[in-house]
Amino acid sequence: MTPLIENIENNYFGTDLRKRLFELKSEDSNSPEIDMVINLFRQTLTNDLEIESNELLDNFSSIELIKNIEIRGRWHEYLSQRFPKQKREHLRKSVFYYLEIFTSTKNNDYLIHSLRLVKTTKGLFKDEINSIYEKGKSELLRLDKPFLQKEIVIELFSLYPEQTKIDFGGFLKNKIENQTTNHNYSGVFWLIESLKEIKVVSKTESKILHAKNYENEGDYQSEDKKPNTYYPTILITYQKGLRELKSIKCDENFRKRLENKVLKEQKEQLKMHFALSQEYVETNKVFENLINDFGNSCLKQFKVFDFESGFSGLISFPISLGIKSEKEQKSTFLFSKMLDDYVRINSKGKAVGKTDSENFQKIKNKRIWRECTINFLKKAKWKMDEDKILNRDIVFYHILEKCDSKFIPPERKWLFANGIYNGFNNDFITSAHILIPQLENSLKYTLENQGVLTSKIYDEIQHDNMLGGLLDIYIKRNGHDIFYEMKDFLLENSSVNFRNELCHGLLSPFIIEHYGIYVWWITLKLIFDKEKVFEIESTKC
């Protein structure tokens, strides 16, 4: 075993350890032993460890020479799968290494993973299972993070079902009361799920509890409601509650009360839609039918029927399809050549953009495709919502803990998680306000990591390139359709000009919501990088 691996200190764990391994890889890029250990860290502990057989890993004679116990733990876990007859030796070591790391770091991923390993082979730990349960119990009582509490209590239930009910049934109910008082409705969601998972409440009872939680959340959102103001999330929240009561027996007074709240909010939303719809609704019925039929056909083409298929469809949906409308015939009137300008007028009658007929046709083509895309996104999102709506803690966990996208600066993960969560929760107004500045920062961050200048360092005053300048750099270096589309959609005066008009407060809430789902989708495309948008080599000189 190379000394580079043997001498990794025992204070490197998780992300820090993975980073350290890749640093060592840069020092000795040809070392098969470094590659072997890196292979152990391809997956996080939240996934089942699945590693292809490897001769170097199979030969574990040097495992005790390694100082770092997480490397040892992952190696022993691999060996327990690779050599089932030696599972007792290897799996026990792996579990106790993970528990030791948890004790040192208080990182609950190690505790939860340990409990899952014990659950699968309880017979190997019959003498220690009680102490392991007590360690998990102590941590659960200490925690104030309902999502993690749920993950731990599920594993404890698999060890001692009846004892878990006794230890945590009343505890979780009290936590629900406290979290409700503190208006942490996201936390209440996970606590209710915990009660259901350990069978303290039935599935039907949990649905009623969820419905009451959504009602409380909707009521709380409504407390400071101002007249003639658009609040899209209130209706969504009440609808979530009513959906929980579908096809189950419950207090009919409660059901009726929630129905009335949904109907009231729908009327409020309808009034707002009527007041603002003239600002963006296309009166051309041919156009309306085109985009609607397109959205329906894409649902079939991408086989969207639930959350997973819907999310897969969103990520794989193309940013451009080269859609063209028929080219308008040139006018033969005497003054047609003198009147070749197209002017964009805003809702107050002001001219805010001007272009020629050729560029106008390009903008029009992009608009048709964009509206078709938005129609598909909304239809796909509805299918996803019918299946499930991701909770805040799930989204934050995946962005903060699991996502390693090079597009997101580490210090901005919380902001991205907030913007993406609001999108999953259908609050595209908040999502757009959060994500628009993050997109600009991340485009700059990505270029700087590639060694590209993003500031005017040759000038006396060294201003940074703004979004338009950054997109011009990407278009010149890369040429991916997404950068052309972002420039048209976000910055073109004669097009939507979404970024500029949003930042200056010129857009109505209804327009922001309409295009907000598009911003949310573009962000997901850039993060998940399914089309490798940052790796395309430029074909331009």
Side-chain angles (χ1 to χ4, degrees), residues 30-179:
N30 297 318
S31 170
E33 292 170 324
I34 294 177
D35 290 337
M36 172 199 77
V37 177
I38 287 176
N39 199 35
L40 289 173
F41 287 81
R42 293 293 181 191
Q43 294 169 282
T44 64
L45 288 175
T46 54
N47 298 318
D48 293 330
L49 200 65
E50 295 180 1
I51 301 174
E52 295 182 3
S53 58
N54 180 296
E55 290 185 6
L56 290 174
L57 285 174
D58 291 349
N59 179 14
F60 54 93
S61 57
S62 59
I63 195 170
E64 297 303 323
L65 299 176
I66 295 173
K67 294 180 181 179
N68 188 279
I69 60 174
E70 184 169 357
I71 297 176
R72 287 195 196 181
R74 285 177 179 257
W75 198 345
H76 278 298
E77 185 176 352
Y78 161 81
L79 293 170
S80 72
Q81 298 174 5
R82 184 80 174 93
F83 304 107
K85 292 183 179 180
Q86 300 176 35
K87 177 170 282 193
R88 179 179 183 84
E89 172 190 352
H90 293 299
L91 194 64
R92 283 176 57 83
K93 287 183 178 180
S94 181
V95 166
F96 292 124
Y97 281 139
Y98 290 143
L99 288 174
E100 185 177 341
I101 297 171
F102 162 70
T103 301
S104 173
T105 64
K106 291 302 179 184
N107 185 328
N108 287 281
D109 286 346
Y110 297 98
L111 172 64
I112 293 168
H113 190 61
S114 301
L115 294 173
R116 285 173 181 163
L117 293 178
V118 173
K119 173 179 65 178
T120 60
T121 51
K122 287 191 280 189
L124 298 180
F125 299 91
K126 59 183 179 181
D127 294 332
E128 298 89 3
I129 198 166
N130 187 64
S131 62
I132 292 173
Y133 174 88
E134 289 298 323
K135 183 180 287 287
K137 174 183 174 180
S138 175
E139 177 63 8
L140 194 153
L141 294 173
R142 183 191 71 83
L143 273 175
D144 194 27
K145 297 180 179 179
F147 175 71
L148 287 175
Q149 287 176 318
K150 180 187 82 84
E151 295 294 300
I152 294 173
V153 80
I154 289 173
E155 303 307 329
L156 295 181
F157 183 74
S158 69
L159 303 183
Y160 287 145
E162 294 305 317
Q163 187 61 43
T164 302
K165 289 183 184 181
I166 295 171
D167 287 341
F168 299 108
F171 169 79
L172 292 171
K173 289 178 181 178
N174 289 334
K175 292 287 288 184
I176 287 174
E177 291 182 8
N178 293 335
Q179 296 291 340

Side-chain angles (χ1 to χ4, degrees), residues 221-467:
Q221 292 173 351
S222 300
E223 286 181 2
D224 296 324
K225 192 175 177 182
K226 297 178 182 178
N228 299 321
T229 305
Y230 188 43
Y231 295 91
T233 59
I234 297 175
L235 174 58
I236 292 167
T237 303
Y238 285 139
Q239 285 176 324
K240 288 180 188 177
L242 198 56
R243 194 179 297 129
E244 293 288 343
L245 300 181
K246 184 179 179 180
S247 302
I248 67 170
K249 292 183 178 180
C250 68
D251 181 351
E252 288 304 313
N253 290 328
F254 170 47
R255 186 194 300 275
K256 191 66 178 176
R257 183 174 73 240
L258 200 48
E259 287 175 353
N260 289 335
K261 290 179 179 180
V262 168
L263 291 172
K264 179 183 177 183
E265 287 301 320
Q266 284 179 335
K267 290 178 181 178
E268 289 292 320
Q269 181 161 297
L270 187 60
K271 285 167 56 180
M272 191 63 65
H273 278 229
F274 277 132
L276 299 170
S277 61
Q278 293 305 313
E279 293 188 21
Y280 87 101
V281 171
E282 175 60 61
T283 57
N284 188 327
K285 293 299 179 183
V286 174
F287 181 72
E288 290 181 355
N289 292 337
L290 168 68
I291 66 172
N292 194 53
D293 292 345
F294 178 87
N296 291 332
S297 66
C298 285
L299 288 181
K300 296 178 181 178
Q301 180 182 345
F302 287 88
K303 299 178 181 179
V304 174
F305 63 91
D306 63 1
F307 183 90
E308 298 299 334
S309 61
F311 187 73
S312 176
L314 296 187
I315 297 303
S316 57
F317 195 81
I319 197 74
S320 171
L321 199 60
I323 188 168
K324 304 289 184 183
S325 63
E326 292 188 10
K327 191 170 183 179
E328 295 180 348
Q329 293 184 348
K330 288 281 186 180
S331 173
T332 57
F333 289 111
L334 176 62
F335 300 109
S336 60
K337 292 183 179 179
M338 299 172 61
L339 303 173
D340 193 37
D341 292 334
Y342 286 76
V343 178
R344 179 181 170 225
I345 306 297
N346 71 3
S347 60
K348 296 182 179 181
K350 296 180 180 179
V352 294
K354 182 178 179 181
T355 188
D356 58 33
S357 59
E358 183 179 354
N359 196 46
F360 169 76
Q361 197 62 36
K362 293 178 182 178
I363 292 171
K364 183 178 176 182
N365 292 339
K366 286 179 178 291
R367 176 173 175 257
I368 293 172
W369 177 250
R370 188 180 302 123
E371 292 300 326
C372 287
T373 302
I374 290 172
N375 186 271
F376 166 70
L377 297 178
K378 291 184 176 181
K379 284 180 165 62
K381 187 62 170 61
W382 176 252
K383 290 288 185 183
M384 293 165 67
D385 292 349
E386 284 183 323
D387 183 23
K388 61 182 175 182
I389 297 179
L390 294 188
N391 193 274
R392 183 178 187 275
D393 291 321
I394 288 181
V395 177
F396 271 64
Y397 174 74
H398 278 78
I399 298 298
L400 297 180
E401 302 294 336
K402 297 188 67 176
C403 181
D404 58 356
S405 172
K406 295 179 181 178
F407 185 68
I408 306 179
E411 71 276 7
R412 301 256 175 168
K413 280 190 172 185
W414 187 88
L415 286 167
F416 271 95
N418 240 319
I420 291 167
Y421 160 69
N422 278 289
F424 275 116
N425 200 42
N426 298 312
D427 181 2
F428 294 110
I429 294 177
T430 302
S431 178
H433 279 88
I434 295 173
L435 293 177
I436 283 294
Q438 306 320 312
L439 288 176
E440 182 169 348
N441 177 269
S442 284
L443 289 170
K444 184 184 302 181
Y445 169 79
T446 304
L447 284 175
E448 289 174 346
N449 283 344
Q450 294 173 353
V452 179
L453 286 176
T454 61
S455 60
K456 302 172 184 178
I457 63 171
Y458 292 96
D459 296 344
E460 183 177 356
I461 305 299
Q462 299 176 7
H463 293 296
D464 282 352
N465 275 308
M466 304 304 287
L467 181 57

